[in-house]
Amino acid sequence: MTSSRALLTKGDVSPLRDVPSHIARPEYVGKKRAKQWRGGDVHSAETIEKIRISARLAAQALAEVCSHVAPGVTTDELDRIGHEFLLDHDAYPSTLGYPGAWGRPAFPKSLCTSVNEIVCHGIPDSTVIEEGDIVKVDITAFLNGVHGDNCASVIAGEGSAEAVKLVDATREALARGIAAAKPGREVNVIGRVIELFATRHGYESVADYTGHGVGPAFHTGLVIPHYDSAPAHNDVITPGMVFTVEPMLVMGSQENHEWKDGWTVATDDGSWCAQFEHTVVIHEDGAEILTLP
Ligand code: MF3
Ligand code: CO
Ligand code: CO
């Protein structure tokens, strides 16, 4: 195990990748803003079946991309693999052209790659992955008019014991948050469980970035915090609801800042972060994970 690498810096972003015209684009591509979704977060059985298909494809894409995480590979190469996988399955990579907030540029790539102290929304570029890096891959598939969204953390080569522990704890935090998502409870139960678990293991759970309603819109407006937000975020979990849970746990302080590129989020203290994300649907007896391959 080599020592941990230096702090990340921005690399070169490759030209936009093409999407053949027969693949349907989400409404926001080429626009300043995504349309505000007003259709709620409880969906019909038909819509849920469509989300199931997008979510499974997103999970398959994630597995394919993650299998290529290794020392020497660039994050741009991971983007190429994810982009081509989704196109091969007639899906659109939801992040490609996703509008930024307040005049920031649209996201220029087909997945997010966030390495080490990058919390989330890292833009794939010429950065070369090194032994021991924690690489978060977040990929979303748009197919039949609906999105499925998921993320995983992979360690390149052999990781330090600390990195392995962080990744394992974050995976478990997600599992516990999902297990707490029962009908009749408020969505804030999810973050309460996640934050408590993180704290017990000596980690902070990032508050600034949240889970979200997903399906006919990439981000419906429903917010799923990963901290104890009660009495806020008291939306009642209801059968037929679809949303993501996507905790980010950090070894040090969760204080963070955005890079000048308008997307990349890094911890202020350079401490490393792991993230996992699933899209789930709520049933009478609890949450079902849709982002499984
Ligand atoms: N997939 C991310 C999420 O979990 C969103 C990425 S938006 C992007 O919500 F524009 F940064 F790609
Ligand atoms: Co998400
Ligand atoms: Co995501």
Side-chain angles (χ1 to χ4, degrees), residues 210-235:
T210 69
H212 51 92
V214 65
F218 192 172
H219 299 97
T220 64
L222 172 67
V223 169
I224 312 290
H226 304 119
Y227 62 96
D228 187 0
S229 61
H233 300 287
N234 59 353
D235 308 81

PDB file of all heavy atoms in Angstrom, residues 210-235:
ATOM      1  N   THR A 210     -28.114  15.911  -0.409  1.00  0.00           N
ATOM      2  CA  THR A 210     -29.173  15.055   0.128  1.00  0.00           C
ATOM      3  C   THR A 210     -29.651  14.045  -0.913  1.00  0.00           C
ATOM      4  O   THR A 210     -29.359  14.166  -2.107  1.00  0.00           O
ATOM      5  CB  THR A 210     -30.379  15.914   0.549  1.00  0.00           C
ATOM      6  OG1 THR A 210     -30.996  16.450  -0.639  1.00  0.00           O
ATOM      7  CG2 THR A 210     -29.984  17.049   1.489  1.00  0.00           C
ATOM      8  N   GLY A 211     -30.415  13.074  -0.431  1.00  0.00           N
ATOM      9  CA  GLY A 211     -31.188  12.244  -1.337  1.00  0.00           C
ATOM     10  C   GLY A 211     -32.363  13.065  -1.865  1.00  0.00           C
ATOM     11  O   GLY A 211     -32.595  14.195  -1.435  1.00  0.00           O
ATOM     12  N   HIS A 212     -33.124  12.458  -2.792  1.00  0.00           N
ATOM     13  CA  HIS A 212     -34.144  13.234  -3.513  1.00  0.00           C
ATOM     14  C   HIS A 212     -35.164  12.309  -4.138  1.00  0.00           C
ATOM     15  O   HIS A 212     -34.846  11.160  -4.488  1.00  0.00           O
ATOM     16  CB  HIS A 212     -33.468  14.071  -4.608  1.00  0.00           C
ATOM     17  CG  HIS A 212     -32.550  13.266  -5.493  1.00  0.00           C
ATOM     18  ND1 HIS A 212     -32.969  12.690  -6.659  1.00  0.00           N
ATOM     19  CD2 HIS A 212     -31.248  12.888  -5.339  1.00  0.00           C
ATOM     20  CE1 HIS A 212     -31.959  12.027  -7.211  1.00  0.00           C
ATOM     21  NE2 HIS A 212     -30.892  12.121  -6.423  1.00  0.00           N
ATOM     22  N   GLY A 213     -36.370  12.835  -4.321  1.00  0.00           N
ATOM     23  CA  GLY A 213     -37.332  12.131  -5.150  1.00  0.00           C
ATOM     24  C   GLY A 213     -36.774  12.006  -6.552  1.00  0.00           C
ATOM     25  O   GLY A 213     -36.066  12.891  -7.039  1.00  0.00           O
ATOM     26  N   VAL A 214     -37.066  10.866  -7.207  1.00  0.00           N
ATOM     27  CA  VAL A 214     -36.521  10.605  -8.542  1.00  0.00           C
ATOM     28  C   VAL A 214     -37.547   9.777  -9.320  1.00  0.00           C
ATOM     29  O   VAL A 214     -38.354   9.060  -8.724  1.00  0.00           O
ATOM     30  CB  VAL A 214     -35.156   9.876  -8.439  1.00  0.00           C
ATOM     31  CG1 VAL A 214     -35.301   8.473  -7.837  1.00  0.00           C
ATOM     32  CG2 VAL A 214     -34.435   9.816  -9.789  1.00  0.00           C
ATOM     33  N   GLY A 215     -37.506   9.852 -10.617  1.00  0.00           N
ATOM     34  CA  GLY A 215     -38.424   9.088 -11.469  1.00  0.00           C
ATOM     35  C   GLY A 215     -38.675   9.888 -12.735  1.00  0.00           C
ATOM     36  O   GLY A 215     -37.773  10.064 -13.552  1.00  0.00           O
ATOM     37  N   PRO A 216     -39.876  10.452 -12.888  1.00  0.00           N
ATOM     38  CA  PRO A 216     -40.152  11.282 -14.073  1.00  0.00           C
ATOM     39  C   PRO A 216     -39.271  12.527 -14.113  1.00  0.00           C
ATOM     40  O   PRO A 216     -39.065  13.101 -15.179  1.00  0.00           O
ATOM     41  CB  PRO A 216     -41.625  11.654 -13.911  1.00  0.00           C
ATOM     42  CG  PRO A 216     -42.185  10.618 -12.986  1.00  0.00           C
ATOM     43  CD  PRO A 216     -41.075  10.237 -12.060  1.00  0.00           C
ATOM     44  N   ALA A 217     -38.759  12.958 -12.969  1.00  0.00           N
ATOM     45  CA  ALA A 217     -37.748  14.020 -12.908  1.00  0.00           C
ATOM     46  C   ALA A 217     -36.489  13.452 -12.257  1.00  0.00           C
ATOM     47  O   ALA A 217     -36.566  12.518 -11.449  1.00  0.00           O
ATOM     48  CB  ALA A 217     -38.266  15.210 -12.098  1.00  0.00           C
ATOM     49  N   PHE A 218     -35.332  14.041 -12.605  1.00  0.00           N
ATOM     50  CA  PHE A 218     -34.064  13.612 -12.004  1.00  0.00           C
ATOM     51  C   PHE A 218     -34.103  13.964 -10.511  1.00  0.00           C
ATOM     52  O   PHE A 218     -33.771  13.132  -9.653  1.00  0.00           O
ATOM     53  CB  PHE A 218     -32.913  14.325 -12.728  1.00  0.00           C
ATOM     54  CG  PHE A 218     -31.519  13.822 -12.444  1.00  0.00           C
ATOM     55  CD1 PHE A 218     -30.448  14.312 -13.186  1.00  0.00           C
ATOM     56  CD2 PHE A 218     -31.265  12.856 -11.480  1.00  0.00           C
ATOM     57  CE1 PHE A 218     -29.151  13.872 -12.965  1.00  0.00           C
ATOM     58  CE2 PHE A 218     -29.960  12.407 -11.247  1.00  0.00           C
ATOM     59  CZ  PHE A 218     -28.914  12.921 -11.983  1.00  0.00           C
ATOM     60  N   HIS A 219     -34.527  15.200 -10.208  1.00  0.00           N
ATOM     61  CA  HIS A 219     -34.663  15.647  -8.818  1.00  0.00           C
ATOM     62  C   HIS A 219     -36.050  16.266  -8.693  1.00  0.00           C
ATOM     63  O   HIS A 219     -36.309  17.336  -9.253  1.00  0.00           O
ATOM     64  CB  HIS A 219     -33.572  16.665  -8.469  1.00  0.00           C
ATOM     65  CG  HIS A 219     -32.182  16.111  -8.584  1.00  0.00           C
ATOM     66  ND1 HIS A 219     -31.395  16.288  -9.698  1.00  0.00           N
ATOM     67  CD2 HIS A 219     -31.443  15.357  -7.730  1.00  0.00           C
ATOM     68  CE1 HIS A 219     -30.227  15.665  -9.519  1.00  0.00           C
ATOM     69  NE2 HIS A 219     -30.224  15.089  -8.339  1.00  0.00           N
ATOM     70  N   THR A 220     -36.961  15.573  -8.001  1.00  0.00           N
ATOM     71  CA  THR A 220     -38.373  16.005  -8.012  1.00  0.00           C
ATOM     72  C   THR A 220     -38.638  17.196  -7.116  1.00  0.00           C
ATOM     73  O   THR A 220     -39.687  17.835  -7.229  1.00  0.00           O
ATOM     74  CB  THR A 220     -39.292  14.869  -7.531  1.00  0.00           C
ATOM     75  OG1 THR A 220     -38.980  14.586  -6.153  1.00  0.00           O
ATOM     76  CG2 THR A 220     -39.128  13.617  -8.378  1.00  0.00           C
ATOM     77  N   GLY A 221     -37.757  17.463  -6.171  1.00  0.00           N
ATOM     78  CA  GLY A 221     -38.001  18.508  -5.184  1.00  0.00           C
ATOM     79  C   GLY A 221     -38.122  17.935  -3.779  1.00  0.00           C
ATOM     80  O   GLY A 221     -37.854  18.635  -2.803  1.00  0.00           O
ATOM     81  N   LEU A 222     -38.513  16.665  -3.652  1.00  0.00           N
ATOM     82  CA  LEU A 222     -38.501  15.996  -2.339  1.00  0.00           C
ATOM     83  C   LEU A 222     -37.048  15.832  -1.889  1.00  0.00           C
ATOM     84  O   LEU A 222     -36.205  15.385  -2.669  1.00  0.00           O
ATOM     85  CB  LEU A 222     -39.169  14.625  -2.436  1.00  0.00           C
ATOM     86  CG  LEU A 222     -39.063  13.718  -1.193  1.00  0.00           C
ATOM     87  CD1 LEU A 222     -39.863  14.306  -0.018  1.00  0.00           C
ATOM     88  CD2 LEU A 222     -39.552  12.303  -1.516  1.00  0.00           C
ATOM     89  N   VAL A 223     -36.781  16.200  -0.640  1.00  0.00           N
ATOM     90  CA  VAL A 223     -35.422  16.160  -0.096  1.00  0.00           C
ATOM     91  C   VAL A 223     -35.337  15.091   0.990  1.00  0.00           C
ATOM     92  O   VAL A 223     -36.202  15.016   1.867  1.00  0.00           O
ATOM     93  CB  VAL A 223     -35.045  17.552   0.465  1.00  0.00           C
ATOM     94  CG1 VAL A 223     -33.764  17.496   1.285  1.00  0.00           C
ATOM     95  CG2 VAL A 223     -34.911  18.557  -0.677  1.00  0.00           C
ATOM     96  N   ILE A 224     -34.311  14.258   0.913  1.00  0.00           N
ATOM     97  CA  ILE A 224     -34.078  13.209   1.913  1.00  0.00           C
ATOM     98  C   ILE A 224     -32.738  13.508   2.592  1.00  0.00           C
ATOM     99  O   ILE A 224     -31.674  13.132   2.074  1.00  0.00           O
ATOM    100  CB  ILE A 224     -34.020  11.808   1.255  1.00  0.00           C
ATOM    101  CG1 ILE A 224     -35.194  11.572   0.298  1.00  0.00           C
ATOM    102  CG2 ILE A 224     -33.936  10.712   2.333  1.00  0.00           C
ATOM    103  CD1 ILE A 224     -36.552  11.409   0.943  1.00  0.00           C
ATOM    104  N   PRO A 225     -32.763  14.184   3.742  1.00  0.00           N
ATOM    105  CA  PRO A 225     -31.497  14.526   4.396  1.00  0.00           C
ATOM    106  C   PRO A 225     -30.798  13.284   4.957  1.00  0.00           C
ATOM    107  O   PRO A 225     -31.437  12.264   5.239  1.00  0.00           O
ATOM    108  CB  PRO A 225     -31.927  15.452   5.541  1.00  0.00           C
ATOM    109  CG  PRO A 225     -33.337  15.846   5.248  1.00  0.00           C
ATOM    110  CD  PRO A 225     -33.920  14.714   4.471  1.00  0.00           C
ATOM    111  N   HIS A 226     -29.473  13.423   5.117  1.00  0.00           N
ATOM    112  CA  HIS A 226     -28.687  12.334   5.722  1.00  0.00           C
ATOM    113  C   HIS A 226     -28.242  12.695   7.137  1.00  0.00           C
ATOM    114  O   HIS A 226     -27.230  12.206   7.629  1.00  0.00           O
ATOM    115  CB  HIS A 226     -27.477  12.016   4.834  1.00  0.00           C
ATOM    116  CG  HIS A 226     -27.849  11.676   3.429  1.00  0.00           C
ATOM    117  ND1 HIS A 226     -27.429  12.414   2.338  1.00  0.00           N
ATOM    118  CD2 HIS A 226     -28.625  10.687   2.924  1.00  0.00           C
ATOM    119  CE1 HIS A 226     -27.933  11.889   1.220  1.00  0.00           C
ATOM    120  NE2 HIS A 226     -28.663  10.846   1.554  1.00  0.00           N
ATOM    121  N   TYR A 227     -29.008  13.583   7.773  1.00  0.00           N
ATOM    122  CA  TYR A 227     -28.762  13.982   9.167  1.00  0.00           C
ATOM    123  C   TYR A 227     -30.118  14.118   9.833  1.00  0.00           C
ATOM    124  O   TYR A 227     -31.160  14.095   9.154  1.00  0.00           O
ATOM    125  CB  TYR A 227     -27.993  15.315   9.226  1.00  0.00           C
ATOM    126  CG  TYR A 227     -28.762  16.458   8.605  1.00  0.00           C
ATOM    127  CD1 TYR A 227     -29.525  17.319   9.387  1.00  0.00           C
ATOM    128  CD2 TYR A 227     -28.764  16.644   7.213  1.00  0.00           C
ATOM    129  CE1 TYR A 227     -30.257  18.350   8.804  1.00  0.00           C
ATOM    130  CE2 TYR A 227     -29.503  17.655   6.634  1.00  0.00           C
ATOM    131  CZ  TYR A 227     -30.245  18.512   7.435  1.00  0.00           C
ATOM    132  OH  TYR A 227     -30.978  19.516   6.848  1.00  0.00           O
ATOM    133  N   ASP A 228     -30.134  14.284  11.124  1.00  0.00           N
ATOM    134  CA  ASP A 228     -31.402  14.397  11.847  1.00  0.00           C
ATOM    135  C   ASP A 228     -31.981  15.789  11.672  1.00  0.00           C
ATOM    136  O   ASP A 228     -31.576  16.725  12.355  1.00  0.00           O
ATOM    137  CB  ASP A 228     -31.197  14.080  13.330  1.00  0.00           C
ATOM    138  CG  ASP A 228     -32.534  14.020  14.061  1.00  0.00           C
ATOM    139  OD1 ASP A 228     -33.587  14.218  13.409  1.00  0.00           O
ATOM    140  OD2 ASP A 228     -32.523  13.769  15.270  1.00  0.00           O
ATOM    141  N   SER A 229     -32.901  15.920  10.761  1.00  0.00           N
ATOM    142  CA  SER A 229     -33.453  17.227  10.396  1.00  0.00           C
ATOM    143  C   SER A 229     -34.771  17.526  11.107  1.00  0.00           C
ATOM    144  O   SER A 229     -35.345  18.591  10.881  1.00  0.00           O
ATOM    145  CB  SER A 229     -33.680  17.281   8.890  1.00  0.00           C
ATOM    146  OG  SER A 229     -34.610  16.270   8.528  1.00  0.00           O
ATOM    147  N   ALA A 230     -35.267  16.598  11.938  1.00  0.00           N
ATOM    148  CA  ALA A 230     -36.577  16.796  12.585  1.00  0.00           C
ATOM    149  C   ALA A 230     -36.567  18.095  13.391  1.00  0.00           C
ATOM    150  O   ALA A 230     -35.531  18.430  13.986  1.00  0.00           O
ATOM    151  CB  ALA A 230     -36.887  15.626  13.505  1.00  0.00           C
ATOM    152  N   PRO A 231     -37.661  18.876  13.404  1.00  0.00           N
ATOM    153  CA  PRO A 231     -38.970  18.548  12.834  1.00  0.00           C
ATOM    154  C   PRO A 231     -39.123  18.873  11.347  1.00  0.00           C
ATOM    155  O   PRO A 231     -40.204  18.701  10.806  1.00  0.00           O
ATOM    156  CB  PRO A 231     -39.914  19.413  13.673  1.00  0.00           C
ATOM    157  CG  PRO A 231     -39.097  20.642  13.965  1.00  0.00           C
ATOM    158  CD  PRO A 231     -37.691  20.159  14.139  1.00  0.00           C
ATOM    159  N   ALA A 232     -38.036  19.343  10.712  1.00  0.00           N
ATOM    160  CA  ALA A 232     -38.137  19.626   9.275  1.00  0.00           C
ATOM    161  C   ALA A 232     -38.133  18.314   8.477  1.00  0.00           C
ATOM    162  O   ALA A 232     -37.875  17.240   9.024  1.00  0.00           O
ATOM    163  CB  ALA A 232     -36.968  20.510   8.841  1.00  0.00           C
ATOM    164  N   HIS A 233     -38.400  18.418   7.201  1.00  0.00           N
ATOM    165  CA  HIS A 233     -38.427  17.261   6.298  1.00  0.00           C
ATOM    166  C   HIS A 233     -39.322  16.161   6.885  1.00  0.00           C
ATOM    167  O   HIS A 233     -38.882  15.029   7.118  1.00  0.00           O
ATOM    168  CB  HIS A 233     -37.006  16.774   6.007  1.00  0.00           C
ATOM    169  CG  HIS A 233     -36.186  17.839   5.353  1.00  0.00           C
ATOM    170  ND1 HIS A 233     -36.360  18.223   4.048  1.00  0.00           N
ATOM    171  CD2 HIS A 233     -35.225  18.663   5.848  1.00  0.00           C
ATOM    172  CE1 HIS A 233     -35.525  19.218   3.758  1.00  0.00           C
ATOM    173  NE2 HIS A 233     -34.840  19.505   4.840  1.00  0.00           N
ATOM    174  N   ASN A 234     -40.573  16.548   7.128  1.00  0.00           N
ATOM    175  CA  ASN A 234     -41.525  15.633   7.771  1.00  0.00           C
ATOM    176  C   ASN A 234     -42.478  14.993   6.766  1.00  0.00           C
ATOM    177  O   ASN A 234     -43.536  14.494   7.149  1.00  0.00           O
ATOM    178  CB  ASN A 234     -42.304  16.378   8.861  1.00  0.00           C
ATOM    179  CG  ASN A 234     -43.064  17.575   8.317  1.00  0.00           C
ATOM    180  OD1 ASN A 234     -42.893  17.922   7.142  1.00  0.00           O
ATOM    181  ND2 ASN A 234     -43.890  18.178   9.135  1.00  0.00           N
ATOM    182  N   ASP A 235     -42.118  14.985   5.491  1.00  0.00           N
ATOM    183  CA  ASP A 235     -42.940  14.284   4.492  1.00  0.00           C
ATOM    184  C   ASP A 235     -43.134  12.840   4.951  1.00  0.00           C
ATOM    185  O   ASP A 235     -42.167  12.180   5.350  1.00  0.00           O
ATOM    186  CB  ASP A 235     -42.250  14.270   3.128  1.00  0.00           C
ATOM    187  CG  ASP A 235     -41.825  15.663   2.683  1.00  0.00           C
ATOM    188  OD1 ASP A 235     -40.749  16.126   3.154  1.00  0.00           O
ATOM    189  OD2 ASP A 235     -42.540  16.268   1.888  1.00  0.00           O
TER     190      ASP A 235
END
